[in-house]
Amino acid sequence: MDQDRTNASKPRFFTPYSTSDPTLNVPVWVNCLQGEAEFIFPEGAEKQRGRFEVAFSQIGTAVLAGGLYGTLNATYLWKKHGRTDVTARIRYTDWANTVGKRAAFHGQALGTIAVLYSIIGIGVAKTTGVEGEVNILTSATATGALYRMADGYTKLLRGGAIGFGLASIFCLWKNTDKIRYMLDSN
């Protein structure tokens, strides 16, 4: 046992330093659980991520959420309408194909909507300088209308209305404290 310890402290080819080397005896402080994130920001920079930086996480989240919805939808449809007169291997292959197609379809659809929303939001923010609820409502309405534009005017209007409705619900949810304060002050 003592021989293993003495061999471990000797320098070797892949570990040129021994454990008894005094230059490696440096104290280490772990400072990771303090509660607040500490980052170094350049002078004059804001401590909040910009619209362009937020767009990447929104797009990725939308693609993953669409894929999850497609997976759940495909599993439900496969359970409801799947073939039961075949072997388990064929049933599994059928399920995997259905999930793959549905998850990809819904993931791409929601990802496309998120890309459109981000591009329009960045464009509105750069041209008008408006951030906040006005930008969210404008971007969502334009995205809904633009996404359904190829299907005719009625679908275009319906898409814009759906975009405006979802953005309104999000803005109301985001500002519940302000709304409560306004209602309590009367």
Side-chain angles (χ1 to χ4, degrees):
M1 186 77 169
D2 290 331
Q3 188 178 9
D4 291 339
R5 261 191 218 150
T6 57
N7 287 340
S9 64
K10 290 182 182 176
R12 296 190 180 178
F13 181 73
F14 291 110
T15 56
Y17 299 106
S18 70
T19 55
S20 62
D21 190 358
T23 59
L24 294 178
N25 194 7
V26 179
V28 177
W29 290 279
V30 177
N31 190 15
C32 61
L33 299 174
Q34 288 188 344
E36 275 190 46
E38 297 176 9
F39 299 102
I40 299 172
F41 291 98
E43 288 184 28
E46 294 182 27
K47 290 188 177 187
Q48 210 174 27
R49 295 190 313 165
R51 180 96 181 183
F52 187 69
E53 292 172 299
V54 172
F56 291 109
S57 61
Q58 288 175 343
I59 294 166
T61 303
V63 170
L64 290 175
L68 178 65
Y69 172 76
T71 300
L72 294 174
N73 185 7
T75 302
Y76 171 75
L77 291 175
W78 177 79
K79 281 277 207 190
K80 188 175 180 181
H81 302 294
R83 295 175 52 189
T84 56
D85 59 338
V86 293
T87 64
R89 178 174 275 175
I90 293 174
R91 282 181 50 98
Y92 174 74
T93 303
D94 184 40
W95 174 79
N97 288 337
T98 305
V99 165
K101 290 176 184 177
R102 293 264 178 179
F105 174 76
H106 290 291
Q108 288 174 358
L110 274 180
T112 302
I113 291 170
V115 167
L116 283 174
Y117 174 77
S118 299
I119 290 171
I120 293 170
I122 291 169
V124 168
K126 294 290 182 191
T127 56
T128 63
V130 175
E131 283 288 339
E133 288 79 17
V134 174
N135 191 339
I136 291 170
L137 290 170
T138 305
S139 301
T141 304
T143 298
L146 190 61
Y147 186 74
R148 301 300 281 171
M149 185 172 68
D151 296 333
Y153 290 115
T154 56
K155 300 269 183 154
L156 179 140
L157 293 174
R158 187 179 302 150
I162 290 171
F164 183 78
L166 290 174
S168 300
I169 291 169
F170 175 74
C171 288
L172 288 173
W173 173 73
K174 185 178 168 186
N175 295 315
T176 54
D177 294 336
K178 291 180 186 177
I179 294 169
R180 285 184 189 150
Y181 177 76
M182 288 174 20
L183 292 175
D184 288 342
S185 65
N186 288 336

